Amino acid sequence: MQKRNLGRDRLEVSALGLGCMGMSDFYGAHDDNESIATIHRAIELGVTLLDTADMYGPFTNEQLVGKAIHDRRDKVVLATKFGNMRSESGAYLGINGSPDYVRKACDASLGRLGVDHIDLYYQHRVDPKVPIEDTVGAMADLVRAGKVRHLGMSEAAPATLRRANAVHPITALQTEYSLWSRDVEDEILPTCRELGVGFVAYSPLGRGFLTGKFKSENDLPADDWRHRNPRFQGENFDRNLDLVRHVEQLAKSKDCTPSQIALAWLLHRGDDIVPIPGTRHEKYLEENVGALNVTLSAADMSRIDEIAPRGVAAGERYAEGGMKSLNL
């Protein structure tokens, strides 16, 4: 397994991580035993970065990940997040970045995960009601207390990231980045590189769309959150299929899969980028890891720029409410 370093403190992780959200939430029915087997297989393959959050489930995904790693804790870099509040029933309760909530959320996550420290602790979304200095100050206290090793942020604006990094070094920024979500290239990724902050790319397969698995909205489970995602709806879905067809053609010429093209492209965008594709199936995990063996030439990268320029996707990344919490 190839390794990469995140941040100026050089947190070493596998070049490809594993997003665990879909094992418990948002994407239809799930099987905990299958998910645990997938996590174990990931560790066997050398995947060290496991990504979860307290809101996934809600709360049950941390328990699942904790159960999966309880006898192999030393083999993983465990990342989780706080800030997006949900009730036990799953209702969304808003964003909270207050220092008191930071401390309580961390203790709760440690308990659910069954560990004595979190390797990488992210603020899931920026709370506009709380100065970022206060939130990150409380997160830094967790580092000093030994409960957290490294700090991260998710979907933060460049100016916010600068202010946060001035309080305590930020090891990684996690933001959506893929062939159909390239807006981070304008300001966010350059700011990370200026500050020495690593970049963790979530939804690198466009929430599964870029795999070529979905040919119509009916291919999604009835209770799948993606039905409410603008890019999976109506005319947007049909227009976005054009991008997938081009990716499929390139994949065929490279004797690999569309997923592997999408991941290899990200891996070729810089050694400071670590994609975290999510899956609960071992076969897709192994396919994703296979992207590390796909070599893209300069001509290939230029071709991808032609078929997937910035702004190529039809529809916003989230519905209106979700978009309001991004880039704050």
Side-chain angles (χ1 to χ4, degrees):
M1 173 59 65
Q2 300 169 25
K3 303 290 186 181
R4 293 192 168 183
N5 294 303
L6 295 174
R8 294 195 185 279
D9 40 7
R10 300 183 63 78
L11 173 62
E12 186 179 80
V13 298
S14 51
L16 206 68
L18 175 62
C20 299
M21 179 189 78
M23 296 177 178
S24 303
D25 209 352
F26 297 108
Y27 295 159
H30 51 272
D31 182 318
D32 285 356
N33 290 329
E34 181 181 32
S35 295
I36 288 172
T38 298
I39 292 173
H40 288 171
R41 180 59 178 148
I43 294 170
E44 288 175 3
L45 292 171
V47 174
T48 62
L49 180 60
L50 302 182
D51 185 90
T52 181
D54 57 6
M55 74 166 290
Y56 301 158
F59 315 121
T60 56
N61 193 240
E62 287 184 325
Q63 295 170 343
L64 172 71
V65 172
K67 182 178 179 180
I69 67 168
H70 79 279
D71 59 348
R72 55 203 82 190
R73 174 66 179 94
D74 61 338
K75 298 182 183 297
V76 302
V77 175
L78 184 57
T80 191
K81 314 178 199 74
F82 75 91
N84 273 329
M85 298 189 301
R86 293 176 75 188
S87 69
E88 291 286 348
S89 66
Y92 181 64
L93 303 176
I95 299 171
N96 194 336
S98 67
D100 185 56
Y101 182 77
V102 172
R103 291 186 287 269
K104 290 178 179 177
C106 180
D107 286 342
S109 287
L110 289 170
R112 286 187 291 266
L113 291 162
V115 299
D116 62 4
H117 73 276
I118 295 163
D119 297 304
L120 179 56
Y121 199 40
Y122 291 99
Q123 181 183 18
H124 207 162
R125 291 291 186 272
V126 174
D127 184 349
K129 305 182 300 299
V130 178
I132 194 62
E133 291 81 2
D134 293 351
T135 303
V136 176
M139 294 169 72
D141 288 340
L142 298 174
V143 175
R144 287 186 282 270
K147 295 180 179 182
V148 169
R149 297 287 172 81
H150 304 270
L151 303 185
M153 302 189 72
S154 180
E155 293 286 1
T160 305
L161 181 60
R162 289 182 190 279
R163 290 167 55 196
N165 194 65
V167 176
H168 187 281
I170 301 299
T171 296
L173 175 71
Q174 182 176 144
T175 296
E176 185 171 352
Y177 188 23
S178 70
L179 288 175
W180 75 353
S181 293
R182 297 185 58 177
D183 49 302
V184 299
E185 295 173 9
D186 293 330
E187 294 184 65
I188 293 172
L189 193 53
T191 301
C192 285
R193 288 172 169 164
E194 176 191 338
L195 298 175
V197 175
F199 191 95
V200 174
Y202 78 80
S203 294
L205 298 176
R207 304 190 183 279
F209 201 103
L210 298 172
T211 67
K213 236 181 14 173
F214 306 119
K215 301 303 181 185
S216 79
E217 293 177 69
N218 295 328
D219 291 334
L220 295 169
D223 57 348
D224 196 302
W225 168 84
R226 286 170 288 194
H227 284 292
R228 302 194 296 275
N229 183 289
R231 294 183 177 179
F232 285 80
Q233 297 174 339
E235 292 183 4
N236 289 344
F237 191 106
D238 295 333
R239 287 174 56 191
N240 289 327
L241 278 179
D242 289 337
L243 169 61
V244 174
R245 294 186 187 102
H246 287 302
V247 176
E248 287 174 333
Q249 291 172 2
L250 181 58
K252 186 175 182 180
S253 72
K254 300 292 291 184
D255 194 27
C256 65
T257 68
S259 298
Q260 290 171 336
I261 286 290
L263 293 172
W265 174 78
L266 272 174
L267 291 164
H268 281 69
R269 296 292 297 175
D271 291 340
D272 54 347
I273 296 172
V274 177
I276 51 168
T279 184
R280 52 184 179 245
H281 305 293
E282 289 186 59
K283 66 176 182 178
Y284 295 136
L285 166 73
E286 292 171 355
E287 178 183 339
N288 292 342
V289 170
L292 292 162
N293 298 318
V294 175
T295 300
L296 299 177
S297 66
D300 292 329
M301 295 295 283
S302 294
R303 174 59 182 149
I304 292 171
D305 277 340
E306 293 174 2
I307 65 178
R310 300 183 200 185
V312 68
E316 297 282 8
R317 292 201 276 138
Y318 291 91
E320 184 179 358
M323 290 300 295
K324 290 180 179 178
S325 69
L326 306 182
N327 201 33
L328 296 179

